[in-house]
Amino acid sequence: MHNQNMSDIIEAYLKKVLGQDEQVEIRRSEMADRFNCVPSQINYVINTRFTVQQGYLVESKRGGGGYIRIIKVKLLDEAEMLDMMIDIIGKKISQKNAYSIIERLFESEMLIKREANIMLAVMEKSLLNSSGADENELRARLLIAFLNNLKYE
């Protein structure tokens, strides 16, 4: 366990719980006590590793009885999932978020490894940055084109 950082350990714990249930409700301070870390570490893990792009919905309520609820998103079909991803992408998307979407497609078995690797290669900052256009806009257009192609295969 020494090879993992605290964020990885917290993420693994939450994903293990989500493997048993479709949602988990936590209190930030209780999680921080459990893992002997600061509450902002819990926020960091939730904000970076439990995003919509990765298939999670996060709800929170502040205050004394506050909580953070993480829900594993289950979509009705592949077309609905692709439409949701297209909406999330919007006009611009970072390389990191594009990678998360491609990873989610691979995990959902909508892409084989070779297709995923090709998509990842096309999302590279070094490739898109050389065109002179806004790389995040270009990345979004390319990723949306990929997703639309998957929808109408």
Side-chain angles (χ1 to χ4, degrees):
M1 218 191 262
H2 292 298
N3 292 339
Q4 288 185 311
N5 68 37
M6 184 56 66
S7 295
D8 292 338
I9 294 167
I10 296 167
E11 175 188 16
Y13 170 78
L14 290 171
K15 285 185 175 179
K16 182 178 177 186
V17 172
L18 284 165
Q20 299 164 354
D21 296 315
E22 292 182 17
Q23 71 179 22
V24 62
E25 196 170 290
I26 61 169
R27 289 192 172 35
R28 196 172 66 133
S29 59
E30 290 175 9
M31 287 289 293
D33 289 344
R34 173 184 210 116
F35 291 101
N36 197 24
C37 66
V38 294
S40 62
Q41 180 91 34
I42 306 300
N43 282 351
Y44 170 79
V45 171
I46 290 169
N47 291 334
T48 60
R49 311 214 181 167
F50 293 90
T51 64
V52 173
Q53 294 93 330
Q54 295 161 329
Y56 300 95
L57 183 63
V58 177
E59 301 172 350
S60 63
K61 179 182 174 232
R62 297 187 180 270
Y67 60 84
I68 298 171
R69 181 179 297 139
I70 305 169
I71 304 165
K72 180 96 169 137
V73 177
K74 287 197 174 185
L75 299 171
L76 298 177
D77 61 20
E78 289 180 0
E80 183 180 346
M81 180 176 174
L82 294 169
D83 284 336
M84 184 183 88
M85 288 179 172
I86 289 169
D87 287 343
I88 290 167
I89 294 166
K91 300 271 185 220
K92 294 183 175 188
I93 189 166
S94 68
Q95 181 176 336
K96 178 184 173 198
N97 286 338
Y99 279 16
S100 292
I101 287 174
I102 295 166
E103 183 180 337
R104 177 86 167 120
L105 291 168
F106 177 71
E107 289 171 354
S108 301
E109 298 180 355
M110 293 176 68
L111 294 177
I112 61 173
K113 186 175 184 176
R114 181 175 167 81
E115 293 167 334
N117 285 333
I118 291 169
M119 289 177 72
L120 290 172
V122 173
M123 297 294 119
E124 280 290 324
K125 181 180 186 86
S126 59
L127 173 71
L128 299 178
N129 205 9
S130 63
S131 68
D134 180 345
E135 76 175 79
N136 290 337
E137 287 180 14
L138 184 54
R139 187 179 292 110
R141 290 198 311 263
L142 287 167
L143 190 53
I144 288 170
F146 282 133
L147 296 177
N148 278 325
N149 186 275
L150 288 174
K151 263 179 27 181
Y152 302 115
E153 221 174 22

